[in-house]
Amino acid sequence: MSDKVNEQELLAVLAAKTKVDPELIKRVLKHEQTFINNAKADSKGDVDIDNDDLVDYVTGQRDVKLDELTVETILDAEMDYLMDKGLAGYID
């Protein structure tokens, strides 16, 4: 997660949007970060993350007891938050 992101604010926004316990959200985001950190960059240095692969990775972690739809909802809400803050975007 970027240093520019206020983690408490992010967790509060995601919990309000998704109605999921902030501790569970924190766990999902931790595994998401691990997945992204392990992703390989292309020749331009861009990292293309397949959302389905990411959701499968997160739901496959033993400490995540959430279904795929819930994890996807959390990740989508996080992306909305980051895009609203100008910290992330999609690559066409």
Side-chain angles (χ1 to χ4, degrees):
M1 217 175 306
S2 169
D3 293 338
K4 297 176 189 163
V5 174
N6 178 328
E7 186 180 9
Q8 293 306 107
E9 178 185 325
L10 174 62
L11 290 173
V13 168
L14 296 183
K17 266 189 170 180
T18 64
K19 308 294 187 246
V20 175
D21 181 309
E23 283 304 310
L24 296 175
I25 293 171
K26 191 185 284 190
R27 215 173 286 158
V28 167
L29 298 181
K30 179 185 75 153
H31 290 304
E32 174 197 28
Q33 194 61 54
T34 300
F35 182 86
I36 291 169
N37 289 344
N38 291 331
K40 302 290 180 240
D42 65 15
S43 59
K44 292 184 235 161
D46 293 329
V47 176
D48 183 25
I49 302 296
D50 182 282
N51 208 42
D52 292 335
D53 291 344
L54 174 57
V55 171
D56 288 346
Y57 174 80
V58 173
T59 56
Q61 302 307 306
R62 285 189 309 215
D63 63 341
V64 176
K65 305 288 187 243
L66 300 169
D67 61 53
E68 286 185 16
L69 184 59
T70 303
V71 169
E72 198 166 327
T73 302
I74 292 168
L75 297 175
D76 287 347
E78 179 200 22
M79 188 59 146
D80 291 344
Y81 173 89
L82 294 174
M83 286 174 40
D84 288 348
K85 296 283 185 184
L87 300 171
Y90 290 101
I91 300 171
D92 293 331

